[in-house]
Amino acid sequence: MATHLAAAFKNAGHRIVQVYSRDMQHAALLAYHVGAETIDNLDQLNNETDLFVISVKDDVIGTIAEKLTQYQKLIVHTSGATHMEAIQAFNPNAGVFYPLQTLSKTKEVDFRNVPLCIEGSDENITNQLTALAQTISNKVYRVNSTQRKVLHLAAVFACNFPNYLYGAAQQLLAKNEMDFEMLRPLILETAQKVQDHMPGAVQTGPAVRNDQQTMAMHLEMLGDESALKVIYELLSQEIIKNNNTDPIAK
């Protein structure tokens, strides 16, 4: 998160003053790319910095925010699942700057297409963060902490769980000496469909047809893969139920 966000700010013309990490080597690598100073001690922070961005594991956001209290600057975190109060407990000048995207250090992301969810502790801060977000993204939303937690949960269903299922599919193919490459066009087509339609309207597969014979065959093929059997049965039953109750899917 820190890597991509810092790069987006730099590309938009903002100055990254410092990069902090407990690991000096990690901080130095990012600082080099964005032309910033490297520090590994929060007491070394430049007091003239306008904004502190906390991009760490959720369970230490409050710890970092408490250490930044002495500077009395605007502080934001980038978490989808953490309430803004994690900062407000120590500093009234608080906000959230949450990019709704799956990020990897090795893959570049065009931040112009990344939804940025903004929250501020007051209207002035919200406006400041919105203006900042608009310099790096065309998709800026005001989302409060309660809404953001729901959004984060929805993202787990839309991103993390499907990726696990891709892995399960890859393992099934590998056991039968087939390449995951064969599935990539199918995965891409499925993702493209929901850009223009609601998911229920484009659901396909044996469950949506209530094809009991095919589903029974699939379960038998899974053999001793008990966890995958449970997942297959649960998801199939949910698809059948939704198809019977959702008029859009019929």
Side-chain angles (χ1 to χ4, degrees):
M1 181 72 76
T3 298
H4 289 287
L5 198 53
F9 282 142
K10 180 179 183 297
N11 292 338
H14 301 290
R15 180 189 170 203
I16 311 299
V17 180
Q18 295 170 311
V19 175
Y20 160 82
S21 174
R22 291 179 301 175
D23 187 321
M24 198 69 165
Q25 187 174 0
H26 288 171
L29 182 61
L30 176 55
Y32 171 78
H33 287 294
V34 298
E37 177 188 2
T38 304
I39 60 172
D40 61 358
N41 187 329
L42 291 175
D43 291 332
Q44 299 172 326
L45 283 171
N46 187 328
N47 194 43
E48 295 184 5
T49 302
D50 298 314
L51 170 69
F52 293 143
V53 180
I54 301 176
S55 187
V56 296
K57 293 191 298 183
D58 289 7
D59 58 358
V60 293
I61 289 175
T63 301
I64 299 295
E66 183 176 15
K67 292 180 179 179
L68 297 178
T69 302
Q70 60 180 309
Y71 298 100
Q72 289 301 300
K73 300 289 184 176
L74 174 56
I75 305 172
V76 300
H77 71 64
T78 60
S79 168
T82 303
H83 201 285
M84 186 171 58
E85 289 178 356
I87 296 175
Q88 279 183 293
F90 308 103
N91 188 337
N93 301 313
V96 178
F97 204 91
Y98 170 53
L100 181 60
Q101 183 56 276
T102 176
L103 301 171
S104 303
K105 283 187 178 182
T106 56
K107 188 177 187 302
E108 290 188 17
V109 171
D110 180 4
F111 250 84
R112 279 288 160 199
N113 295 317
V114 174
L116 290 179
C117 301
I118 302 305
E119 182 180 16
S121 53
D122 61 38
E123 187 64 18
N124 181 52
I125 288 175
T126 301
N127 289 335
Q128 288 183 51
L129 294 177
T130 298
L132 176 61
Q134 289 171 339
T135 67
I136 64 173
S137 174
N138 295 326
K139 302 177 184 294
V140 179
Y141 302 89
R142 293 191 177 195
V143 180
N144 64 39
S145 288
T146 300
Q147 292 171 323
R148 192 176 62 259
K149 287 183 177 182
V150 174
L151 189 60
H152 190 264
L153 173 59
V156 169
F157 277 93
C159 175
N160 305 136
F161 290 165
N163 193 66
Y164 165 79
L165 295 176
Y166 297 155
Q170 186 271 328
Q171 291 173 20
L172 288 171
L173 290 174
K175 286 181 180 179
N176 290 273
E177 301 180 347
M178 287 183 284
D179 196 329
F180 182 71
E181 188 68 27
M182 298 169 68
L183 285 182
R184 293 188 195 275
L186 175 65
I187 292 170
L188 182 60
E189 177 65 17
T190 303
Q192 288 177 334
K193 281 182 180 179
V194 295
Q195 303 307 309
D196 302 310
H197 306 279
M198 289 296 104
V202 292
Q203 182 71 57
T204 61
V208 81
R209 301 188 300 270
N210 199 11
D211 184 348
Q212 295 293 330
Q213 182 175 347
T214 298
M215 288 188 287
M217 178 185 66
H218 285 169
L219 288 169
E220 184 177 353
M221 291 171 63
L222 286 170
D224 59 359
E225 296 281 0
S226 57
L228 292 185
K229 280 185 173 181
V230 171
I231 293 170
Y232 186 100
E233 288 187 295
L234 179 60
L235 292 180
S236 294
Q237 289 304 314
E238 286 299 305
I239 291 172
I240 291 170
K241 181 174 69 175
N242 287 345
N243 190 55
N244 288 334
T245 58
D246 185 357
I248 295 178
K250 291 184 178 179

